[in-house]
Amino acid sequence: MKLIRMVFRGVRDAFKSVFRNFSLSIASVSCISITLVVVAVALLASFNVNNFTETIKKDVTIIVFVESKATDSDLNTIEKNIKKIGNVDSIKLKTKQQEKKELMEEDDVFKSYLGDMDDDELPLKDSFLVKVSKLEEIKDTVEKIKKIELVDTVNYGESMVQQMLNAFKVIRNGTIIIVVALIIVNIFLIVNTIKLAIFARKREISIMRLVGASNLSIKYPFVIEGMVIGMIGSIVPILITIYGYTYFYTYFDGKLFSSLIKLINPQPFVLYVSLIILGIGMVVGMIGSSRAVRKYLKV
Amino acid sequence: MELISISNVNVRYPNGVNALHDLSVKIKRGDFVFVIGGSGSGKSTFIKMLYREIKPNKGEIILGGLNVAKLRNSKVYKLRRKLGIVFQDYRLLPKLTVYENVAFALECIGAKKTEIRVKTLKAIELVGLKSKTRVYPDQLSGGEQQRVAIARAIVNNPKLLICDEPTGNLDPDMSMEIVKLLDNINKTTGTTIIMATHDREIVNKMKKRVIVLKDGYLIKDYEKGKYYDEAD
Ligand SMILES: Nc1ncnc2c1ncn2[C@@H]1O[C@H](COP(=O)(O)OP(=O)(O)O)[C@@H](O)[C@H]1O
Ligand SMILES: [Mg+2]
């Protein structure tokens, strides 16, 4: 009962105090807000980039054409050699007979043209369909496959994939650096802002101590206050996340540049991101305030 | 029956100043004791030691069963809940009303809402500020502000009320009123009171036990009514 009363009073007092020390609180709140907006954008971008990468990874296939003179045992050796490279998620042999069958099913022109031919006459080649596990290393893998004996040509829509991969890499590394740096700067700023807020209430704290408030109950309201500041600070970033991203998604019709780059559907994606933002705001506020308050609790 | 038992206490500040030397004194429950002495004689040090703002480097202080000299920082609040403390500069919170300032002491220790209400109003009435409950400190005279501070100090029925020059900022008439209020509290509630002061006139009039400090030494300890002004 006493604990519940204390928790309740703590939250109420935290709100009171945020408004009582309005100018100081507004500084902390806007500082958290600005950071969280950037964090939100970074999160939205990097989740999408991860999503693109996953989708592309599923789609990108290396087609390895084998020279016509290769025998069945040669095909076996080639398959083994490709597997040896590592970074191979799956490999599938597509013989020219299968290719012929597929083409004939697809198109009547092919059907009449290819239907009369013997296997030896076919203008087709045996091929391997290779999927990689690490898309970033696809170029390297392709180079290695090219060097294998009896491999004719290797194909994977390189320029497109490579360009996208480079762009993603830049975006992802950039956002990670920005987010980490901002959170560090922000914790530092919060510690200092709440230190100032505590300093402004040094008198109150000293009186609390004088009348017999326990250290925990002195510390607790400030920690809650830090949390409340973090929560208030995350309101604007959350609104921007929800409405901004939904608008962005509708505006671009769910895809960027080409239909290959699909954006993540806003529902329930924006809600998850909002929760992360709220969590970061609260945790940063709490870390900042408990660090700041610790300094003043030595009697 | 002793409320406070101080034996062979020595207080040295970090800068090397020895503010109290081998001090021993016992104070009975329900007593009213003046601690007097010139500026720098160690009165404030004596008071601070009682509410464990500072720790003696030697000796023992037993206060209401608590070993004050050995009390850990995290346990100091247990001592403070048995005490009321009043200072020369009132130490009120300017943004809180009289009522809120007094209630603050009870809120800080997690008292029940109804309990806070009853005790706060009672304390305010006792110090004679019933008509100023909703007023802010800056709208009060110095004497009235000190009354609020006293109400806050006694609101939780402390065993001991310690006052460090509570009349230091007040004119003689108001000073006398404050001391009479303290005397009244002492008589009606039985709260033990220790008051540091350098106001000899007050001490002369009140005829209480008087402890005299000089350069950190306890040089005289007058029984109730035995003190007379020897300054002249
Ligand atoms: N925080 C402190 N640090 C160092 N010396 C102090 C401190 N407080 C008081 N003193 C010294 O201790 C002695 C007693 O001071 P104090 O107890 O304040 O005397 P009083 O209250 O009787 O004027 C003085 O010499 C004073 O200079
Ligand atoms: Mg003093």
Side-chain angles (χ1 to χ4, degrees), chain B:
Chain B
M1 174 70 186
E2 269 98 31
L3 177 66
I4 308 168
S5 172
I6 298 170
S7 13
N8 310 103
V9 154
N10 207 81
V11 175
R12 194 203 311 273
Y13 283 108
N15 64 356
V17 174
N18 224 331
L20 290 178
H21 304 265
D22 196 33
L23 187 142
S24 298
V25 69
K26 288 184 182 358
I27 291 169
K28 285 206 291 284
R29 227 173 264 276
D31 255 8
F32 191 130
V33 183
F34 284 116
V35 178
I36 66 168
S39 175
S41 59
K43 303 184 296 294
S44 295
T45 304
F46 181 78
I47 295 285
K48 283 181 187 162
M49 177 181 89
L50 288 180
Y51 67 91
R52 185 40 187 76
E53 177 71 18
I54 53 177
K55 254 181 176 169
N57 56 311
K58 238 194 264 167
E60 198 181 54
I61 306 168
I62 307 293
L63 199 164
L66 279 175
N67 192 342
V68 177
K70 290 222 170 68
L71 206 58
R72 298 224 312 272
N73 281 348
S74 57
K75 297 276 182 277
V76 167
Y77 74 95
K78 291 191 173 176
L79 170 69
R80 303 275 168 94
R81 289 180 187 194
K82 297 175 191 251
L83 303 179
I85 312 166
V86 176
F87 298 96
Q88 180 172 354
D89 57 358
Y90 325 130
R91 306 210 184 165
L92 301 175
L93 291 168
K95 286 176 182 170
L96 301 185
T97 63
V98 167
Y99 179 89
E100 289 165 340
N101 262 290
V102 178
F104 185 76
L106 293 173
E107 278 175 11
C108 282
I109 61 174
K112 279 198 193 75
K113 217 171 177 167
T114 47
E115 184 191 349
I116 291 176
R117 204 178 167 71
V118 171
K119 284 187 167 176
T120 302
L121 290 173
K122 204 176 139 201
I124 291 174
E125 195 173 349
L126 186 60
V127 300
L129 283 178
K130 212 178 167 189
S131 59
K132 310 246 164 150
T133 314
R134 305 275 157 217
V135 166
Y136 288 89
D138 59 3
Q139 297 165 281
L140 297 171
S141 73
E144 287 170 328
Q145 290 188 49
Q146 193 58 292
R147 283 167 190 273
V148 180
I150 292 170
R152 181 181 67 197
I154 59 162
V155 71
N156 197 29
N157 311 321
K159 290 183 188 339
L160 174 66
L161 180 58
I162 49 187
C163 316
D164 191 358
E165 312 233 17
T167 61
N169 283 349
L170 306 175
D171 61 42
D173 288 349
M174 264 197 198
S175 297
M176 208 56 221
E177 274 181 32
I178 290 293
V179 177
K180 283 194 175 137
L181 171 63
L182 292 176
D183 193 31
N184 183 37
I185 290 168
N186 172 247
K187 281 180 177 141
T188 56
T189 66
T191 308
T192 310
I193 296 184
I194 297 174
M195 171 171 160
T197 182
H198 62 251
D199 189 333
R200 287 173 184 276
E201 200 182 323
I202 287 177
V203 181
N204 276 333
K205 274 189 188 149
M206 296 304 293
K207 309 264 184 278
K208 303 289 184 190
R209 181 179 173 190
V210 180
I211 292 169
V212 187
L213 295 180
K214 193 179 180 210
D215 301 329
Y217 290 95
L218 193 162
I219 55 164
K220 284 268 169 60
D221 187 348
Y222 296 93
E223 287 296 307
K224 188 170 166 31
K226 297 276 170 58
Y227 174 84
Y228 61 96
D229 197 340
E230 51 190 16
D232 23 45

Side-chain angles (χ1 to χ4, degrees), chain A residues 29-47:
Chain A
V29 166
S30 26
C31 154
I32 289 196
S33 282
I34 292 166
T35 302
L36 289 183
V37 167
V38 179
V39 171
V41 172
L43 280 176
L44 292 171
S46 63
F47 275 124

